[in-house]
Amino acid sequence: MTVTKNSRPVRARQCWALAALTVPVLLMSIDLTVLSMAVPVLSEELAPTATQLLWIIDVYGVFLAGLLILMGSLGDRIGRRRLLLTGALAFGAASALAAFAWSAEVLILARALLGLGGATLMPSTLSLIRNIFPDPAQRRRAISVWAAAFAGGAGLGPIVGGLLLEHFWWGSVFLINLPVMALLLLAGPFLLPESKDPNPGPFDVVSAFMLIAAVLALIFGFKRAGEHGWGLAPIAALLGGVLLAALFVVRQRRLTHPLIDVGLFRSLPFTVAVFANIAGVFAMTGVMYFFPQYVQLVLGHSPLEAGLWSLPLAAGAILGALTVPAVARRVPAGWVIGLGLAAAAGGYLLLSLLGADEVMALAFAGGALLGVGVGLADTLTNDVIIGTAPEAKAGAAAGISETAYEIGGALGTAVLGSIGAGLYRDQALQSLPAGTPRAITDAATQTLGAANQAAAQLPPEQAGPFLSVVNGAFVDAMAQTFTTAALIVGATAVAAIVTLRRHRH
């Protein structure tokens, strides 16, 4: 191929555009986990109720998941660059409000606005990559960088939070967003081309509300189950979400210009890639739910040290994502996705061997293997999802891909969290000696954190054996949950290999 004198500036512009699209994704991914380290200080200064604290942590992800597909479709209509820059402004303003929130209610509102801003940013970044890199090989490399930022950010969040909290107040975890959003607003108009669907048709408001209600109901149901178990409220929310989703699909099929082209799911590679995407994030967030408690409460390390324990997971995810282009040139997509998920399952099996005694090498090896597997699988699933969708529908496809991320995250916390909570409760009840005060027993069977607070009320000669019992119960529950997760992710790996083994993209 002849290289013209204009080739180098075009490639350089593409690289700068990719950088402009990747850094915001890294920040949004960090925001999903960075707040977990600030919870103790935040609880002391803002004094939220237990319900308010749950909303402070969860409302960002809930709004992000509920609005991703809608915002992706909106970007197809009004222009993806326009939506991206609007989202950057909203995300920056919400970050400033969160950093200086003076009450729990204001922080909940700010986190909801952060979710709204993030929902406009994420599908815009991925759909613009689809347009900036039309060549499949170049696009795969670009998506690998994008996915490395997203996967690595979730693992880096606890580390960033721990570092900031060592030196600054809890609001500093939000202020890091402001300079990046300012640079994006300044450079975006020059680096990023505008793109949109030339014939989008009218915007269906009814479909938009149905979609938001369906996704929010499903996410709420999973999160409620993870927090309180499978009762009437989460089951009703899930059934309501499924019903609304079914009515939404029926409506889309009847509309001349649907909000989402549900015909995309007629493509087997597209559909399988969406479910494999869910499985990959399911695996990642399941570990992030248990690890901070295990490292801080069972092993007795600081928040910063707990964050550093997640570094192999983040490094593995980045490494897996960045090696995808080289691997995918030689191996069919289905095998790469399937083997990636199989590696994640192997990582879970290694982590299930962890006990009450510290074995850092085992934790690091399991985390790194899990991260590499998720990085491989999720990067290529994104490439399959975006690449099989028509260019005009790139924003909607990107929204579907990223909603799969959020649903996978909710499932990882809700399913694995509820399994672990139930196993922990049963183990603690069986192991506590007869005659333990009712108040202590109730605390011990709620969470490991509550058990540690209850131990502070006991005489020293009783506190040690009590903590030994509850820590052992937690470790046993974690091990059984990780084994269950390995089976679920492993089954998904087999399904991906069987259905996509001949697919090359």
Side-chain angles (χ1 to χ4, degrees):
M1 184 179 69
T2 302
V3 179
T4 68
K5 65 179 182 180
N6 292 326
S7 296
R8 186 177 298 276
V10 170
R11 287 199 297 268
R13 188 182 182 89
Q14 286 176 317
C15 290
W16 281 110
L18 179 60
L21 295 172
T22 300
V23 175
V25 172
L26 176 66
L27 279 180
M28 286 182 291
S29 182
I30 287 174
D31 269 11
L32 286 170
T33 54
V34 71
L35 196 61
S36 61
M37 295 299 171
V39 165
V41 181
L42 187 152
S43 299
E44 182 178 346
E45 295 196 11
L46 296 185
T49 65
T51 302
Q52 286 174 333
L53 186 59
L54 289 173
W55 274 109
I56 288 170
I57 297 170
D58 290 344
V59 73
Y60 173 73
V62 168
F63 271 72
L64 192 63
L67 296 171
L68 276 168
I69 295 178
L70 174 62
M71 290 302 175
S73 181
L74 183 62
D76 289 338
R77 286 170 164 78
I78 70 170
R80 291 139 191 166
R81 185 181 68 182
R82 177 182 296 177
L83 186 67
L84 177 73
L85 297 178
T86 303
L89 182 62
F91 198 80
S95 297
L97 180 62
F100 298 102
W102 56 90
S103 69
E105 292 83 0
V106 173
L107 185 54
I108 291 170
L109 173 63
R111 292 278 287 171
L113 294 175
L114 277 171
L116 172 62
T120 63
L121 285 166
M122 289 184 68
S124 301
T125 59
L126 198 52
S127 55
L128 281 168
I129 287 174
R130 170 73 166 82
N131 289 275
I132 294 170
F133 298 91
D135 178 72
Q138 290 182 347
R139 184 177 66 244
R140 185 176 297 122
R141 287 193 294 270
I143 290 179
S144 73
V145 174
W146 182 97
F150 190 93
L156 291 172
I159 301 172
V160 173
L163 284 171
L164 289 172
L165 291 171
E166 288 282 330
H167 304 286
F168 306 103
W169 93 110
W170 63 265
S172 63
V173 301
F174 298 107
L175 286 185
I176 57 173
N177 299 331
L178 296 183
V180 176
M181 293 301 118
L183 284 174
L184 181 59
L185 285 168
L186 291 173
F190 302 101
L191 295 176
L192 305 174
E194 184 59 282
S195 68
K196 60 182 177 181
D197 186 346
N199 299 298
F203 186 79
D204 184 41
V205 177
V206 174
S207 293
F209 279 107
M210 289 177 68
L211 177 63
I212 294 171
V215 175
L216 288 179
L218 290 170
I219 297 296
F220 174 79
F222 284 127
K223 285 186 174 292
R224 180 80 177 181
E227 294 159 8
H228 304 289
W230 290 97
L232 179 61
I235 292 174
L238 290 173
L239 290 176
V242 170
L243 177 60
L244 281 171
L247 293 173
F248 174 82
V249 170
V250 171
R251 182 175 180 84
Q252 301 315 292
R253 287 178 173 173
R254 293 177 178 175
L255 291 174
T256 306
H257 299 283
L259 184 66
I260 294 176
D261 183 6
V262 294
L264 291 171
F265 286 93
R266 296 193 188 102
S267 166
L268 183 62
F270 183 92
T271 303
V272 173
V274 169
F275 282 101
N277 208 339
I278 291 173
V281 184
F282 173 91
M284 183 78 81
T285 54
V287 169
M288 296 305 295
Y289 176 81
F290 285 96
F291 240 45
Q293 298 181 73
Y294 172 70
V295 178
Q296 291 185 66
L297 299 178
V298 176
L299 301 183
H301 291 298
S302 69
L304 178 56
E305 290 172 321
L308 292 174
W309 273 62
S310 69
L311 190 58
L313 185 68
I318 294 171
L319 177 64
L322 293 179
T323 57
V324 160
V327 176
R329 284 198 297 268
R330 299 171 178 83
V331 184
W335 281 100
V336 179
I337 294 170
L339 292 175
L341 291 175
Y348 256 129
L349 288 177
L350 282 179
L351 293 175
S352 71
L353 301 177
L354 290 171
D357 297 324
E358 182 174 326
V359 185
M360 186 180 293
L362 180 62
F364 278 23
L369 184 59
L370 175 61
V372 168
V374 172
L376 283 170
D378 278 1
T379 302
L380 205 52
T381 55
N382 277 302
D383 187 43
V384 172
I385 291 168
I386 298 301
T388 54
E391 185 174 347
K393 303 297 182 183
I400 292 171
S401 171
E402 286 144 2
T403 300
Y405 265 116
E406 297 305 319
I407 290 176
L411 280 170
T413 301
V415 175
L416 298 181
S418 59
I419 290 173
L423 291 170
Y424 166 74
R425 183 170 54 250
D426 293 342
Q427 291 273 3
L429 282 173
Q430 292 173 11
S431 303
L432 286 173
T436 302
R438 178 64 180 271
I440 300 297
T441 301
D442 289 344
T445 54
Q446 289 177 17
T447 64
L448 186 60
N452 274 257
Q453 292 178 358
Q457 305 172 19
L458 296 173
E461 65 274 9
Q462 296 179 14
F466 172 78
L467 285 175
S468 178
V469 167
V470 295
N471 286 344
F474 180 85
V475 169
D476 289 345
M478 183 178 72
Q480 293 179 60
T481 305
F482 284 176
T483 303
T484 303
L487 295 174
I488 295 171
V489 177
T492 309
V494 173
I497 292 173
V498 170
T499 55
L500 292 177
R501 63 187 183 278
R502 292 190 178 91
H503 178 76
R504 282 190 179 271
H505 180 64

